[in-house]
Amino acid sequence: MCRITIILFTVLCLVSCNNPTILDVEELADKTPQQVEEILGKPDTAYTQVFVTKHVFTQIYRRDFEFEIMYPEGLSTDIVVFDAAPKLPFEAGIIEKFGLQQLPPSDVLANAYIKWKNYPGYKTINFFVTDLDSAGNVEQFRLFFKSDGVPNTQ
């Protein structure tokens, strides 16, 4: 029995150590600013942006990556991770690093974007390239998570 426990513990450790979550988007989506602060602590910066005539409260966090959380309707529906490269490769599999399960993307354009319009609970998830090196390899990219705005009751 002890041997089985050790083997299971080792397997779980290998799985979790090989794919640690960097930012749990699922945990942060569709929360109020106060709920997000309970999870992440105080933001590094907070301000209100104006888009046309709409005021949108925004929080900026600087952790492993700089990321922004916007609250267009009072809930954290828009999460943007800035410049994930070179720490992460530009590939669909990194979605797991953000607390989401691997699903095939709905659209991919090599060295341009990876998009999910089919992810449950999200209007869209986009990984989009912002800079290529001289050889045409992805040098910088952003990740945009747009939830459906329905609070998770789990």
Side-chain angles (χ1 to χ4, degrees):
M1 181 67 172
C2 184
R3 181 179 237 166
I4 292 172
T5 304
I6 291 171
I7 291 169
L8 285 174
F9 177 76
T10 303
V11 169
L12 287 173
C13 183
L14 287 173
V15 169
S16 65
C17 293
N18 288 335
N19 195 15
T21 299
I22 296 170
L23 179 67
D24 194 336
V25 170
E26 190 74 13
E27 179 184 31
L28 298 173
D30 305 316
K31 302 279 191 295
T32 65
Q34 296 78 18
Q35 290 171 315
V36 169
E37 284 186 25
E38 287 173 11
I39 297 166
L40 295 175
K42 292 280 184 198
D44 294 291
T45 305
Y47 58 93
T48 300
Q49 301 181 66
V50 179
F51 295 103
V52 186
T53 59
K54 188 174 192 169
H55 291 67
V56 178
F57 181 67
T58 303
Q59 295 173 314
I60 303 277
Y61 286 88
R62 291 178 185 90
R63 302 296 191 266
D64 286 339
F65 300 96
E66 182 173 322
F67 59 96
E68 160 180 284
I69 302 174
M70 293 181 277
Y71 304 83
E73 301 296 330
L75 295 177
S76 55
T77 56
D78 298 22
I79 299 173
V80 181
V81 177
F82 296 97
D83 193 16
K87 292 184 180 182
L88 295 175
F90 183 69
E91 59 187 42
I94 67 166
I95 197 168
E96 293 177 345
K97 301 260 185 210
F98 296 90
L100 300 170
Q101 293 180 356
Q102 179 63 39
L103 290 179
S106 55
D107 194 14
V108 175
L109 182 59
N111 289 347
Y113 63 82
I114 303 169
K115 185 183 300 184
W116 289 262
K117 288 282 202 184
N118 56 347
Y119 202 97
Y122 292 84
K123 291 181 179 178
T124 188
I125 297 172
N126 291 310
F127 297 180
F128 57 96
V129 174
T130 57
D131 196 19
L132 298 172
D133 65 16
S134 59
N137 300 311
V138 175
E139 194 165 76
Q140 291 181 327
F141 64 97
R142 289 192 181 151
L143 298 91
F144 177 68
F145 303 90
K146 173 88 173 163
S147 71
D148 60 12
V150 178
N152 189 350
T153 58
Q154 294 179 354

